[in-house]
Amino acid sequence: MQNFMIILIIIIMIVIGIIYTVKHFKGESSCCGGGSYKPKKKKLKNIKYTKIFKVEGMHCEHCKNRVEEMVNDINGLAGTVNLKKNELTVFYEIDTEDSVLKARLGKAGYILKI
């Protein structure tokens, strides 16, 4: 009887884990904030140049939104993320060191490859 209870508990835990994993990768989980939040798109008036970076640590739509918002909060920068390629495209209106971007994303747990 004790073995049956242990097996039942393990099966329930596995099922719950699978449900939350599927929700996570569909973008429906509470990962990185959850909900249907979309960051405001930022338009720059005079784009000087564009750079593309690889970003590690993005797993879902919420991660994508979070990274875009962090970039858009930096004065003179706007960013868009391609989640499938794990790429961040940054549009520069003013000269900004890449280390500023790397530090900001690093605080949130993302790794920017320069």
Side-chain angles (χ1 to χ4, degrees):
M1 185 66 174
Q2 289 177 341
N3 289 341
F4 176 75
M5 292 300 289
I6 292 172
I7 292 171
L8 183 63
I9 290 170
I10 290 172
I11 290 172
I12 291 171
M13 290 172 56
I14 290 171
V15 169
I16 291 171
I18 290 171
I19 290 169
Y20 279 101
T21 300
V22 169
K23 280 182 147 185
H24 172 79
F25 286 109
K26 283 176 138 183
E28 299 170 355
S29 71
S30 60
C31 169
C32 306
S36 60
Y37 172 76
K38 297 285 182 195
K40 290 187 247 177
K41 296 294 180 189
K42 183 176 177 183
K43 292 185 180 183
L44 301 176
K45 293 180 183 178
N46 187 18
I47 297 173
K48 285 187 174 183
Y49 56 95
T50 303
K51 284 187 181 180
I52 297 175
F53 300 97
K54 289 285 187 183
V55 180
E56 292 179 1
M58 295 186 297
H59 304 288
C60 62
E61 191 70 26
H62 302 294
C63 296
K64 172 192 175 295
N65 293 338
R66 189 173 183 197
V67 169
E68 286 180 358
E69 185 169 286
M70 283 187 282
V71 174
N72 291 343
D73 284 345
I74 299 173
N75 187 32
L77 300 184
T80 60
V81 170
N82 181 330
L83 190 57
K84 289 182 181 180
K85 294 182 179 181
N86 285 331
E87 289 182 346
L88 167 65
T89 303
V90 180
F91 304 95
Y92 292 81
E93 188 173 58
I94 60 174
D95 291 328
T96 306
E97 293 291 323
D98 294 340
S99 59
V100 172
L101 197 55
K102 187 174 184 172
R104 179 164 245 175
L105 294 178
K107 286 182 182 179
Y110 303 104
I111 300 169
L112 182 72
K113 299 290 185 177
I114 296 178

